[in-house]
Amino acid sequence: MTEVSKILQDSHGRDHAYLRISLIERCNLRCTYCMPEEGVKLSPKSSLMTYEEIYEIAKTFVDNGVTKIRLTGGEPLIRKDIPIILEKLATLPVELSITSNAVIIDKYIDVLKANGVNKINVSLDSLDEGKFKHITRRHEFKKVYNNILLLVKEGFTLKVNAVLMKGFNENEIIDFINFTKDLPVSVRFIEFMPFDGNKWDMSKMISYAEVMRYVHDAFAEDEVERLQDAPNDTSKNYRIKGYQGSFAIISSVTNPFCDSCNRLRLTANGQLKNCLFSSTESDLLTTLRAGKPIEPVIQKAVWAKLKVRGGMDTLKKLQEPELHTNNRSMTAIGG
Ligand code: SAM
């Protein structure tokens, strides 16, 4: 089926053909902006989806028109049965991709290739080893950096995600752009977003407009090319003339892209989130385990999706802590 069925259409007329599935809540890094220092309360193992359940739920979405599935987490590659999950999902008629911190991705090159995964998003918030250690609370910079080079060499299409934070890595914006000079990767600057326990405040965020000020200070106007964004793209894409790669900004805070949002999220414990910022969830896993059809639950959840950012339609609302403390941290949602 190529057309998105009614159950994946919301009350604002948006069709949802893209499902992000979180495979695990745990992670082998401890990024300060993603996980609170004390860690997150993990769901009991028995309430996490098994690979059979992941397949079954994914298949229902695909039967109803989902054409893209991205696996995420936590860190999806630390799930032991990742090869089986990939194998099962690769039997579905979807574009399968993955978001990873790339710490151990070198061990999975063959598995990824064998299952048709060729688009990979890797998170890397600093090109400086010391800063990387500071933000991730782990010493894995060299592995991640070398694995990025390896993935490019192996022919994967690569996006490198960097969350920008004031006073931390904003001075690396141009270094990241220059990283795309000889490497065919897209570096995507992500505006820092509020989630439970990440001590977000607007003043820590570097906005789309600020990124572009750095860019225009460093490059002449005619060197900066605005690229055509893909349909439903969350990012605004640019290239420096003559560079092999490109860069982009994901401006969920200052310039949300909700009108064209086609995404749904399934957490590792089988809860459907209709928006990253939504504080409500719909329990697909309990329904599935009770032997009941999950389509009605999906339909109700999708229909209820709010027009903008889970109801936080203004910057003022986004800054009201009680509105986002009901949301999980990013590692527990699946970024
Ligand atoms: N472990 C994988 C990784 O590191 O890419 C996948 C999960 S991680 C939660 C997915 C993405 O969410 C990463 O690119 C991370 O930078 C982003 N992220 C987490 N917390 C965020 C926040 N508060 N604001 C913006 N992006 C965030």
Side-chain angles (χ1 to χ4, degrees):
M1 169 183 289
T2 47
E3 226 168 72
V4 176
S5 88
K6 268 220 169 65
I7 78 161
L8 297 182
Q9 195 176 75
D10 72 13
S11 64
H12 305 283
R14 293 171 294 199
D15 289 326
H16 295 80
Y18 184 4
L19 179 66
R20 299 171 75 104
I21 304 179
S22 172
L23 299 183
I24 189 163
E25 295 167 355
R26 286 185 300 115
C27 189
N28 45 354
L29 298 181
R30 289 285 178 278
C31 300
T32 53
Y33 58 80
C34 183
M35 247 198 231
E37 198 157 5
E38 63 280 12
V40 289
K41 195 164 172 283
L42 297 173
S43 305
K45 198 156 184 258
S46 59
S47 68
L48 297 182
M49 294 182 290
T50 63
Y51 72 82
E52 290 98 337
E53 288 163 343
I54 292 171
Y55 173 75
E56 195 134 330
I57 294 176
K59 184 171 183 315
T60 303
F61 277 93
V62 173
D63 288 346
N64 283 286
V66 159
T67 54
K68 272 171 81 174
I69 290 181
R70 174 170 291 278
L71 302 179
T72 180
E75 173 49 37
L77 295 179
I78 63 173
R79 193 163 155 152
K80 293 278 181 310
D81 56 359
I82 181 80
I84 307 175
I85 295 172
L86 288 170
E87 241 170 67
K88 296 277 291 177
L89 295 179
T91 64
L92 297 173
V94 276
E95 179 191 298
L96 193 56
S97 57
I98 193 162
T99 297
S100 167
N101 58 35
V103 173
I104 56 170
I105 208 164
D106 47 311
K107 302 188 176 56
Y108 292 95
I109 301 284
D110 292 343
V111 175
L112 292 167
K113 282 188 180 174
N115 292 297
V117 179
N118 44 41
K119 291 188 176 169
I120 301 184
N121 289 3
V122 171
S123 307
L124 176 68
D125 302 313
S126 177
L127 293 166
D128 175 281
E129 190 165 1
K131 275 196 197 173
F132 178 94
K133 156 87 191 353
H134 179 77
I135 196 84
T136 63
R137 305 179 176 117
R138 295 289 182 273
H139 267 298
E140 305 285 15
F141 176 79
K142 285 207 175 79
K143 277 195 206 151
V144 174
Y145 192 86
N146 289 334
N147 279 342
I148 288 177
L149 301 183
L150 176 69
L151 290 168
V152 172
K153 190 168 143 247
E154 292 289 337
F156 289 96
T157 300
L158 210 65
K159 290 180 179 163
V160 173
N161 291 337
V163 178
L164 290 178
M165 278 157 294
K166 197 153 275 174
F168 174 70
N169 56 359
E170 64 190 298
N171 60 348
E172 292 191 67
I173 292 172
I174 303 305
D175 297 343
F176 268 113
I177 293 176
N178 286 332
F179 182 66
T180 70
K181 186 170 183 191
D182 300 315
L183 270 191
V185 300
S186 167
V187 167
R188 305 189 313 162
F189 300 115
I190 305 180
E191 287 181 349
F192 177 40
M193 296 180 281
F195 294 101
D196 186 19
N198 78 351
K199 301 195 177 116
W200 185 83
D201 100 51
M202 186 87 179
S203 68
K204 295 182 188 163
M205 188 197 71
I206 302 291
S207 67
Y208 175 21
E210 284 170 279
V211 174
M212 291 316 290
R213 271 200 292 278
Y214 278 97
V215 171
H216 290 302
D217 281 350
F219 299 98
E221 207 170 310
D222 63 352
E223 285 181 291
V224 184
E225 269 180 273
R226 177 75 168 95
L227 303 176
Q228 177 73 46
D229 304 326
N232 306 105
D233 206 341
T234 53
S235 53
K236 317 276 187 303
N237 292 270
Y238 295 83
R239 182 197 307 277
I240 301 300
K241 271 200 187 131
Y243 281 23
Q244 284 196 44
S246 56
F247 70 95
I249 298 104
I250 302 186
S251 53
S252 330
V253 176
T254 63
N255 216 323
F257 26 80
C258 305
D259 283 351
S260 61
C261 180
N262 66 345
R263 283 138 214 263
L264 296 169
R265 293 180 138 84
L266 182 63
T267 66
N269 64 342
Q271 309 296 306
L272 182 64
K273 276 182 85 80
N274 60 15
C275 168
L276 185 55
F277 289 101
S278 159
S279 53
T280 57
E281 300 179 349
S282 302
D283 192 346
L284 299 190
L285 187 57
T286 302
T287 311
L288 183 78
R289 287 184 179 174
K292 296 187 190 143
I294 59 172
E295 280 96 338
V297 185
I298 296 173
Q299 181 162 23
K300 195 166 168 223
V302 174
W303 189 255
K305 177 163 169 160
L306 296 173
K307 197 164 190 306
V308 178
R309 256 184 335 226
M312 293 184 279
D313 48 354
T314 60
L315 276 179
K316 188 164 174 289
K317 283 193 193 159
L318 201 61
Q319 289 173 81
E320 287 170 19
E322 64 281 8
L323 289 179
H324 46 81
T325 45
N326 290 329
N327 199 358
R328 302 167 177 233
S329 64
M330 190 70 141
T331 190
I333 298 172

